[in-house]
Amino acid sequence: MEHPLGKYLYKKGALYLLEKLEKLETARFTDLYDHEVYRTPSLLTLRLRELEELKLVERSLVAEPGKRGFIVYRLTKKGRKVLDMVRSLEEFLSQGL
C-alpha cells in the first residue's frame, strides 16, 4: 500500500509549495500562486488542501481591527522534516548508487 505522502510528492508543484513556504515562512495564497507551476488557482487550492490533510502545512486567519481578515499558510514541523528528508535523499542520489 502506498503512503499518501509518497503519492503527494509525485504531483506537479508539490515540492515547490514546501520550498516556497520555507523561504517565506508565512504566505498568502497570492504569494504562492505561480501560473507556470499551477495553470489555474484551483490546482493550487487543491495542493494546499492536500498539504493540510497531510499535516505538512497549516493555515490561519489573520484579522486586523476594521479590516477584512485573510488566510496565511505556513509549514509545520512535520513539513520541515519532510522537506529535509527529501533534500537528504536528493543529495544521496546525486552521489550515485
Side-chain angles (χ1 to χ4, degrees):
M1 183 196 285
E2 190 172 338
H3 191 279
L5 177 59
K7 286 177 77 173
Y8 176 79
L9 291 174
Y10 281 106
K11 294 181 179 182
K12 180 178 177 142
L15 287 176
Y16 169 85
L17 268 182
L18 294 174
E19 290 171 340
K20 185 93 172 190
L21 282 166
E22 179 186 47
K23 179 180 175 184
L24 297 174
E25 293 186 25
T26 61
R28 295 171 76 161
F29 186 90
T30 54
D31 299 326
L32 299 171
Y33 182 68
D34 181 333
H35 72 278
E36 292 185 21
V37 178
Y38 304 102
R39 292 188 178 169
T40 64
S42 60
L43 183 55
L44 174 56
T45 299
L46 177 63
R47 292 292 174 264
L48 286 167
R49 282 189 189 143
E50 292 168 335
L51 283 172
E52 284 183 85
E53 289 172 10
L54 292 166
K55 308 278 192 249
L56 302 181
V57 166
E58 61 186 9
R59 68 179 171 150
S60 55
L61 176 65
V62 175
E64 299 174 7
K67 293 186 178 181
R68 184 175 176 197
F70 56 92
I71 302 291
V72 293
Y73 299 89
R74 68 180 50 85
L75 277 182
T76 62
K77 279 186 175 182
K78 183 178 177 182
R80 290 183 194 286
K81 285 182 182 180
V82 166
L83 197 49
D84 289 343
M85 287 189 295
V86 168
R87 287 183 177 140
S88 293
L89 181 59
E90 286 175 341
E91 183 180 331
F92 172 75
L93 293 174
S94 71
Q95 295 171 4
L97 298 175

